[in-house]
């Protein structure tokens, strides 16, 4: 949604109760509000931020501009969960109310230190000529949810980067706090900087160097870099913008990617033995994935179901964006797997054998098994005319194809209407549908397709068009 700068950066206090009520009324009229995914209470939701475990609960913020479906004066909105499935907004926000974040609280991370949660984020500051000064800044959140911002700038813009310097991720490696930050070089190439906290004091950061992760620099910016350790192996999650398609085949405006590495050498500094760059998600919408490690080593991640610079059908209702299901990460046979946390089964209310359905409430889970060496075609959001979201499992040709050209309100068609991946044999799939959200996990998370579909009236059926498929249908509660 294109709105004037003066609207998008209008101070929060200037918005009247009448204007806010009008926005809330627009949102209430939407036919596409999700039941069990996080969506913004109002306005735009984009990056997941501050994903962590603190005070006996999972902490997850989302970046938000609360006054419409546009990128404006951003805040963080806090949610918490006991099970990584049921997230509740607490009313706590990290607002752009300090001289170091005057034009937006941009993305960042969080880490528990002693009895507080350290929040590390980018403050967006602009001068009267609208020149940006990106500042990496911090805050403490105590167990009661009180946030106290630091007055000092923790990391200033280095001499070798443009104004595009953001998204710090703090992590602990062998008892030492480090941070990686996405950056753009002066010759407009994307890279990542590594810092360490001197004496583990989060007020004092020293540059270690530019992180060598086997990148080519074909992208013009790297956003939201995250380093997680999966079964002991370093895995770099990141969102490269402008990546050359000869390096990675992708159709979305910007891809969400990863590399599995062998070791982390802090002295070079380098992620040694990095794999080729790979798509983290093969669907139409997944970006800015944020991961973290639990104290016991388990690695979780969550993604923004949305993309920068794309308009969505919900824009007319003054909101945009959603958060994916939380996924646990594992490595099998050198491949990264992402799979929903086990507590997702708590949403199941009833089950039945999978079969064609003329109508559902578009709020369900499918657990399906496919025949080997055959082609199966399945329609989600099906209507009486045979239109819908077509999922093709072609085990003869080793492909999975998702086609939304006949599903719901069409948008972003300039980036194509199909997505696919190569996979020798797809034997099973777990599919979550939530009003306008689809998450498909193939072979227990070997491949993932995350997408939006905005169904029109009558588009709520299930239909097998060809092939053999069996399994279970579960209705899910919100």
């Amino acid at each position: 949604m294109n709105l004037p700068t003066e609207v998008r950066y209008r101070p929060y206090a200037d918005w009247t109760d009448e204007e806010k009520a009008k926005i809330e009324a627009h949102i209430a009229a939407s036919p596409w509000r999700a039941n069990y995914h996080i969506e913004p209470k109002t306005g735009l939701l984009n990056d997941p931020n501050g994903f962590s475990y603190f005070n006996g609960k999972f902490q997850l913020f989302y970046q938000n501009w609360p006054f419409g479906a546009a990128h404006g004066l951003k805040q963080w909105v806090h949610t918490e969960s006991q099970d990584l499935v049921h997230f509740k907004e607490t009313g706590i926000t990290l607002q752009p109310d300090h001289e170091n974040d005057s034009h937006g609280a941009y993305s960042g991370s969080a880490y528990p230190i002693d009895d507080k949660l350290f929040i590390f984020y980018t403050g967006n500051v602009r001068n009267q000529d609208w020149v940006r000064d990106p500042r990496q800044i911090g805050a403490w959140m105590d167990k009661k949810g009180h946030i106290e911002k630091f007055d000092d700038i923790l990391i200033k813009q280095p001499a070798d980067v443009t104004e595009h310097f953001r998204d710090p991720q703090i992590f602990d490696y062998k008892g030492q706090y480090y941070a990686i930050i996405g950056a753009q070089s002066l010759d407009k190439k994307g890279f990542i900087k590594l810092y360490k906290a001197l004496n583990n004091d989060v007020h004092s950061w020293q540059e270690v160097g530019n992180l060598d992760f086997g990148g080519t620099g074909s992208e013009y910016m790297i956003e939201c870099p995250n380093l997680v350790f999966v079964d002991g192996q370093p895995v770099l999650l990141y969102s490269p913008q402008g990546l050359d398609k000869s390096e990675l085949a992708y159709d979305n405006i910007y891809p969400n990617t990863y590399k599995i590495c062998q070791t982390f050498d802090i002295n070079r500094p380098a992620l040694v033995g990095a794999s080729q760059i790979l798509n983290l998600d093969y669907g139409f919408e997944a970006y800015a994935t944020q991961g973290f490690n639990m104290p016991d080593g388990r690695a979780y991640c969550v993604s923004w179901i949305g993309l920068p610079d794309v308009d969505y059908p919900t824009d007319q209702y003054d909101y945009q964006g959603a958060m994916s299901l939380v996924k646990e990460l594992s490595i099998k046979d050198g491949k990264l797997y992402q799979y929903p946390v086990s507590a997702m089964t708590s949403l199941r209310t009833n089950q039945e054998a999978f079969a064609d359905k003329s109508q559902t409430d578009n709020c369900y889970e499918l657990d399906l098994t496919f025949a080997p060496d055959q082609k199966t075609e399945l329609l989600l959001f099906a209507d009486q005319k045979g239109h819908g979201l077509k999922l093709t499992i072609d085990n003869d040709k080793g492909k999975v194809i998702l086609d939304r050209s006949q599903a719901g309100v069409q948008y972003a068609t300039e980036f194509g209407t199909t997505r696919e991946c190569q996979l020798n044999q797809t034997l099973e799939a777990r599919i979550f549908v939530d009003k306008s959200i689809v998450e498909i996990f193939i072979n227990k998370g070997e491949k993932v397709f995350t997408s939006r579909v905005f169904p029109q009236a009558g588009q709520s059926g299930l239909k097998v068009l060809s092939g053999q498929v069996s399994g279970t249908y579960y209705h899910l509660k919100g």
Side-chain angles (χ1 to χ4, degrees):
M1 180 182 287
N2 292 319
L3 292 174
T5 300
E6 59 268 24
V7 174
R8 293 184 292 112
Y9 286 87
R10 184 176 161 193
Y12 285 23
D14 288 359
W15 291 84
T16 67
D17 290 343
E18 184 180 4
E19 287 172 315
K20 293 175 187 176
K22 188 176 180 181
I23 291 168
E24 290 172 5
H26 284 169
I27 292 170
S30 170
W32 298 309
R33 292 291 275 177
N35 276 13
Y36 56 89
H37 285 78
I38 296 173
E39 285 188 305
K41 198 170 181 180
T42 64
L44 177 121
L45 172 154
N46 60 311
D47 300 3
N49 291 152
F51 193 22
S52 54
Y53 186 77
F54 168 67
N55 196 25
K57 294 178 183 176
F58 294 97
Q59 314 291 321
L60 176 61
F61 295 81
Y62 65 81
Q63 203 173 107
N64 171 245
W65 184 59
F67 304 112
H71 294 266
L73 186 58
K74 301 283 184 69
Q75 65 174 350
W76 286 18
V77 176
H78 179 248
T79 73
E80 63 181 16
S81 174
Q82 298 276 14
D83 61 1
L84 291 171
V85 173
H86 300 85
F87 283 88
K88 182 180 179 181
E89 285 195 19
T90 62
I92 298 164
T93 56
L94 180 74
Q95 293 203 355
D97 57 6
H98 191 281
E99 65 179 1
N100 288 333
D101 59 17
S102 59
H103 290 71
Y106 278 17
S107 290
S109 55
Y111 197 89
I113 297 176
D114 298 326
D115 61 348
K116 292 181 180 177
L117 186 69
F118 171 60
I119 297 171
F120 200 7
Y121 68 108
T122 300
N124 184 36
V125 177
R126 290 183 181 270
N127 65 15
Q128 60 188 14
D129 298 318
W130 210 244
V131 175
R132 175 186 284 138
D133 175 11
R135 303 177 181 185
Q136 313 313 314
I137 53 180
W140 293 115
M141 185 173 86
D142 66 22
K143 292 183 177 181
K144 294 182 179 179
H146 175 71
I147 293 177
E148 184 178 351
K149 295 182 180 180
F150 299 2
D151 285 325
D152 48 333
I153 300 171
L154 303 184
I155 301 173
K156 297 180 180 179
Q157 179 181 346
D160 59 344
V161 304
T162 70
E163 63 173 23
H164 296 290
F165 179 59
R166 54 183 174 267
D167 313 336
Q169 184 225 356
I170 180 176
F171 59 96
D172 181 316
Y173 182 68
K174 296 185 176 180
Q176 169 68 51
Y177 296 139
Y178 291 92
I180 52 175
I181 304 175
Q184 181 187 70
S185 67
L186 298 180
D187 57 354
K188 307 294 173 63
K189 295 184 183 298
F191 71 110
I192 297 170
K193 280 197 172 288
L194 176 70
Y195 292 82
K196 71 175 181 180
L198 295 176
N199 302 313
N200 272 349
D201 176 5
V202 294
H203 283 273
S204 181
W205 292 87
Q206 180 183 69
E207 181 176 337
V208 179
N210 297 340
L211 182 65
D212 178 1
F213 58 95
T216 65
S218 76
E219 62 273 89
Y220 60 76
M221 176 62 187
I222 288 178
E223 292 197 307
C224 305
N226 265 242
L227 187 61
V228 290
F229 295 86
V230 183
D231 305 331
Q233 281 189 258
V235 175
L236 181 68
L237 312 174
Y238 62 110
S239 297
Q241 295 187 327
L243 185 74
D244 193 307
K245 293 191 177 183
S246 65
E247 193 171 343
L248 177 72
Y250 66 95
D251 292 311
N252 293 345
I253 183 172
Y254 308 118
N256 203 174
T257 64
Y258 74 95
K259 288 189 173 192
I260 298 176
C261 309
Q262 299 306 309
T263 56
F264 180 35
D265 183 341
I266 57 171
N267 296 312
R268 285 173 50 182
L271 291 169
V272 181
S275 71
Q276 65 188 94
I277 185 172
L278 296 162
N279 280 304
L280 187 65
D281 196 290
Y282 288 87
F284 292 89
E285 269 94 16
Y287 196 74
T289 298
Q290 183 163 100
F292 83 101
N293 284 102
M294 287 284 287
D296 64 7
R298 281 176 295 170
Y300 294 115
C301 74
V302 65
S303 309
W304 168 27
I305 307 180
L307 286 164
D309 307 324
V310 171
D311 293 330
Y312 285 86
T314 55
D315 291 5
Q316 64 183 302
Y317 296 105
D318 285 338
Y319 77 101
Q320 186 191 115
M323 207 68 77
S324 75
L325 303 180
V326 174
K327 298 155 282 194
E328 186 166 1
L329 300 176
S330 60
I331 295 175
K332 300 173 190 173
D333 301 321
K335 302 174 186 174
L336 184 69
Y337 281 66
Q338 308 168 69
Y339 205 56
V341 297
S342 57
M344 280 303 300
T345 58
S346 68
L347 297 183
R348 296 172 178 172
T349 58
N350 64 293
Q351 68 181 71
E352 54 192 86
F354 172 75
D356 285 6
K357 281 181 171 290
S358 61
Q359 187 176 348
T360 72
D361 65 352
N362 284 334
C363 188
Y364 57 83
E365 173 193 348
L366 302 176
D367 203 346
L368 304 179
T369 301
F370 302 95
D373 302 314
Q374 288 190 14
K375 180 179 178 180
T376 304
E377 293 178 308
L378 176 67
L379 272 189
L380 312 175
F381 301 99
D383 63 19
Q384 299 301 312
K385 297 177 182 177
H387 300 150
L389 178 69
K390 184 192 286 188
L391 175 64
T392 301
I393 306 293
D394 192 341
N395 281 332
D396 184 36
K397 295 183 178 177
K399 278 188 176 184
V400 179
I401 304 167
L402 192 64
D403 181 346
R404 71 175 180 194
S405 63
Q406 301 294 312
V409 178
Q410 295 293 295
Y411 67 99
T413 54
E414 64 268 33
F415 303 108
T417 56
T418 63
R419 296 291 184 267
E420 65 177 65
C421 72
Q422 296 290 134
L423 199 56
N424 287 335
Q425 292 286 294
T426 295
L427 301 179
E428 54 189 281
R430 202 165 163 204
I431 300 171
F432 292 86
V433 170
D434 188 4
K435 298 300 184 183
S436 60
I437 297 168
V438 186
E439 297 191 62
I440 302 171
F441 298 88
I442 306 288
N443 292 349
K444 298 196 183 308
E446 183 180 355
K447 302 286 187 183
V448 181
F449 288 76
T450 304
S451 301
R452 298 302 300 254
V453 174
F454 298 92
Q456 306 198 63
Q459 295 184 325
S460 65
L462 280 170
K463 189 171 180 62
V464 178
L465 298 177
S466 65
Q468 291 179 279
V469 56
S470 61
T472 307
Y473 171 97
Y474 300 95
H475 184 262
L476 300 185
K477 62 186 176 182

